[in-house]
Amino acid sequence: MADETTPAATIVASPEPVIRVLLPDDLKPLRYDLKLTPDLSGFTFAGALTIRLSVLRTTSTAILHAKELSFSDVSYSVVGQSNASPVVCDEMHVQPKDTTASFLFPTPMEIGTEIDLKIGYAGILNDQMAGFYRSRYKDVRGAEKYMASTQFEALDARRCFPCVDEPHAKAVYGVTLVVPSELQCFSNMPEASSRSLLIRDVPVREVVFMDTPLMSTYLLAFCVGEFDHVQSRTNTGTLVRVYTPPGRSSGGDFSLDCAVRCLELYDDFFGVPYPLPKLDMVAVPEFAMGAMENWGLVTYREVDLLIDPDTAGSAQRQRVCVVVAHELAHQWFGNLVTMAWWDDLWLNEGFASW
């Protein structure tokens, strides 16, 4: 059971007919190191997570948002005490209604320290277009294939990894993806390194991405699958790419041109340079929204990113241009400057629409 110094998760009524569950502020996330191994045939993924946490109040319990995840090994170690043995979690509680998980430890986490909380877990590549999910498509030969991508806004990062899934709780993210060697993968930041491995005699690639800037959980993103792409650079050297289903790269030329022009305009107009080294835009076959402004890896419904250059009319071109311009404005309004909670989402959308 939780110790008396740890308050229970606070349920705060919102204007909507749903409730929001805010976590105790005992622990502040500083960075997440996340390693994911998706299985596109079994529609599952394995996760290994280390969260660097600042302890703001002595507690024996770590409470995180989590949904549809199963946990195995959980422990923590105190940063700077390399000779000490990790403290192993001796009790776990999952609250499906609140979408939280509580990890109880025999030794309290002391105020003023930093800890590394390590969690091994597994999840589902669902077909609900939320969290880390799968999409079905047909390749150039007509064969049915699957890709995996993310949609975390508003409260679905917790479907992919245990976290403080509140927009104000910004942290740095280090992402590693382990994928079949024939597939591509990308995340918010460029690749830092890649190596080939054999797992159960299956050739895979382990791709490590550069650390992100401080950002909210809902903006983390990654994609795994087969893609073609077109690319260009802005006048300041930012690499811009449009990823398309195989054989359809020409459909990305128009949106690529829009994106380059938008970034150059926004750099000048806002007076704040785009802060990431690259911008990827990805057409996802099954996508609930029109688009999602993940920082450095914007995902789109296919019709809002790709056009046939020979048949597209002016209305379709205008639609694609408006959607691209809107999502790239969010790279500043929403990503760089973020609301504390979703009841102020109008600030993000208002400025991006303006």
Side-chain angles (χ1 to χ4, degrees), residues 41 58 70 114 175 270 323 345:
S41 57
T58 297
S70 57
E114 292 183 0
V175 173
F270 297 146
V323 173
L345 181 62

Side-chain angles (χ1 to χ4, degrees), residues 6-191:
T6 304
T10 303
I11 300 178
V12 182
S14 67
E16 297 78 19
V18 297
I19 57 175
R20 71 194 197 198
V21 177
L22 302 180
L23 300 182
D25 59 0
D26 304 337
L27 304 171
K28 177 184 178 181
L30 303 176
R31 71 171 286 132
Y32 296 82
D33 285 291
L34 177 62
K35 183 176 181 178
L36 293 173
T37 305
D39 178 357
L40 285 170
S41 57
F43 304 138
T44 61
F45 62 89
L49 175 66
T50 300
I51 313 176
R52 176 69 57 88
L53 296 159
S54 176
V55 182
L56 305 182
R57 185 184 296 113
T58 297
T59 179
S60 297
T61 305
I63 304 177
L64 298 171
H65 289 114
K67 185 175 183 179
E68 298 171 355
L69 302 176
S70 57
F71 303 101
S72 51
D73 303 322
V74 180
S75 65
Y76 81 83
S77 56
V78 180
V79 176
Q81 296 183 10
S82 56
N83 295 328
S85 298
V87 180
V88 178
C89 173
D90 59 4
E91 192 174 342
M92 302 182 197
H93 298 284
V94 176
Q95 296 83 28
K97 182 179 179 181
D98 295 341
T99 63
T100 61
S102 301
F103 307 103
L104 286 68
F105 297 92
T107 303
M109 296 163 276
E110 298 291 342
I111 186 172
T113 62
E114 292 183 0
I115 64 164
D116 283 335
L117 179 63
K118 296 181 182 293
I119 304 174
Y121 68 99
I124 303 168
L125 287 174
N126 66 72
D127 59 357
Q128 300 174 46
M129 294 183 284
F132 193 19
Y133 73 95
R134 65 185 188 264
S135 293
R136 183 170 50 190
Y137 68 97
K138 290 185 178 179
D139 66 13
V140 292
R141 295 176 296 277
E144 188 174 274
K145 297 286 186 70
Y146 286 91
M147 66 165 287
S149 59
T150 55
Q151 173 60 41
F152 289 164
E153 188 182 355
L155 304 176
D156 285 312
R158 64 193 69 184
R159 290 179 185 255
C160 181
F161 62 104
C163 56
V164 181
D165 202 7
E166 300 167 12
H168 70 90
K170 292 188 174 185
V172 173
Y173 297 83
V175 173
T176 299
L177 296 177
V178 181
V179 302
S181 57
E182 71 273 14
L183 299 183
Q184 299 168 265
C185 64
F186 25 90
S187 186
N188 305 75
M189 297 293 287
E191 284 188 21

Side-chain angles (χ1 to χ4, degrees), residues 189-308:
M189 297 293 287
E191 284 188 21
S193 65
S194 176
R195 61 172 180 158
S196 297
L197 301 171
L198 279 176
I199 297 180
R200 301 185 186 91
D201 296 324
V202 176
V204 299
R205 284 193 309 129
E206 181 183 84
V207 181
V208 180
F209 296 91
M210 296 168 58
D211 286 353
T212 71
L214 281 171
M215 67 181 197
S216 304
T217 50
Y218 80 93
L219 295 172
L220 187 64
F222 18 87
C223 295
V224 179
E226 297 177 320
F227 303 93
D228 283 344
H229 75 277
V230 291
Q231 69 180 49
S232 185
R233 289 186 182 272
T234 67
N235 54 17
T236 58
T238 301
L239 176 63
V240 183
R241 293 175 292 200
V242 176
Y243 284 94
T244 75
R248 297 176 59 188
S249 60
S250 63
D253 288 334
F254 179 77
S255 56
L256 176 67
D257 182 58
C258 291
V260 170
R261 295 184 183 212
C262 281
L263 283 187
E264 291 175 348
L265 172 66
Y266 292 157
D267 275 350
D268 179 63
F269 186 76
F270 297 146
V272 178
Y274 176 72
L276 274 62
K278 62 92 173 174
L279 171 72
D280 293 333
M281 305 196 300
V282 185
V284 179
E286 297 179 12
F287 197 73
M289 310 297 178
M292 176 61 210
E293 67 268 18
N294 315 298
W295 215 355
L297 179 57
V298 185
T299 47
Y300 294 81
R301 186 180 295 183
E302 288 187 357
V303 296
D304 287 323
L305 185 67
L306 307 181
I307 64 169
D308 185 329

